Amino acid sequence: VLVQIHMSESLDEVSFARSLHNGDTDAEVFARCGLLRGSVMAHCVRLEEVEIQLLKEAEATIAHCPLSNYYFAGGLLPVKRLVQDGVRVALGTDVAGGYSPSMWDAMRRAIETDRIVGHGKPDHVNMTLGEVLHLATAAGARALRLPVGTFAVGQEFDAQLVDPSRGGMLRVRPEETEEDILTKSMRLADDRHIAGVWVQGRKVKG
């Protein structure tokens, strides 16, 4: 059975769950009930080492919701470390715990979270913008088993067209590279810049 649910989200939730299940962690309970394999687990900011191993073995995906983590979970997800340990992570919003359903905002918050997690740690390697974009696209598609997330042959065409000429601080100069444009877009684009949206090859906006 595949599920999408919150897990190891806050100190009080973790404590309450343990009180109900003889001290077992959230992941141990889900694994015992057959609900961890291939599932999507939101937040996971209070994971213990045993839970990290269980998530990895079950090929479950953590839905990283950085804005909601600020507001409600009260924790920061060490995405880089988890990915390096072989845990699947994708990006989410969980708007009930924040103020924005925008994946553009979620990408920016993910970058901020990574920088905060690495503050004062000389061995921390910052996530690249490309890695964060992957969390918002291909990683999410894999978690949900959808044939989207990349422009590879055979994938369904889910895409947004970003128009930098629509005002705000987003400006593109002719000499800038694709990487420069991606960097600016991820940092500065908002709803006004979305000139077109396609879902499964069908244009639904613009």
Side-chain angles (χ1 to χ4, degrees):
V1 178
L2 302 177
V3 299
Q4 189 282 303
I5 196 166
H6 295 200
M7 190 180 88
S8 300
E9 181 173 1
S10 62
L11 291 173
D12 56 343
E13 177 270 316
V14 169
S15 177
F16 181 65
R18 280 182 174 276
S19 73
L20 296 177
H21 298 284
N22 299 315
D24 286 349
T25 66
D26 286 8
E28 287 172 324
V29 174
F30 284 120
R32 186 172 67 247
C33 295
L35 297 175
L36 194 60
R37 178 157 298 279
S39 292
V40 179
M41 321 307 276
H43 306 297
C44 296
V45 297
R46 302 293 176 185
L47 292 175
E48 298 188 9
E49 289 300 321
V50 64
E51 294 183 286
I52 293 172
Q53 187 60 33
L54 285 171
L55 284 165
K56 178 180 177 180
E57 293 172 357
E59 297 184 341
T61 299
I62 296 173
H64 176 35
C65 306
L67 184 59
S68 181
N69 290 345
Y70 297 163
Y71 271 75
F72 181 75
L76 302 172
L77 188 71
V79 175
K80 190 87 171 184
R81 179 245 164 142
L82 290 168
V83 171
Q84 290 173 339
D85 285 348
V87 178
R88 296 184 178 188
V89 181
L91 196 61
T93 60
D94 184 27
V95 68
Y99 57 77
S100 175
S102 168
M103 289 299 286
W104 292 92
D105 280 342
M107 286 192 287
R108 287 187 273 270
R109 301 294 87 78
I111 293 167
E112 292 170 2
T113 295
D114 176 67
R115 300 304 188 266
I116 296 169
V117 167
H119 183 71
K121 300 176 182 176
D123 59 341
H124 178 80
V125 178
N126 290 337
M127 293 186 68
T128 66
L129 294 181
E131 288 172 329
V132 174
L133 180 63
H134 173 79
L135 296 182
T137 53
R142 180 177 68 171
L144 299 176
R145 294 167 174 76
L146 296 175
V148 296
T150 72
F151 293 138
V153 175
Q155 295 280 287
E156 294 180 354
F157 187 69
D158 280 17
Q160 293 183 4
L161 174 63
V162 179
D163 183 355
S165 70
R166 292 190 167 198
M169 296 178 64
L170 182 56
R171 296 283 189 275
V172 174
R173 296 191 299 271
E175 67 272 17
E176 289 181 317
T177 66
E178 291 182 356
E179 185 175 355
D180 292 333
I181 296 170
L182 174 63
T183 298
K184 283 189 171 183
S185 297
M186 288 182 66
R187 294 189 184 281
L188 299 171
D190 56 38
D191 289 351
R192 86 190 97 177
H193 298 108
I194 307 304
V197 177
W198 287 261
V199 177
Q200 295 180 321
R202 182 171 63 90
K203 196 171 188 179
V204 296
K205 176 183 176 181

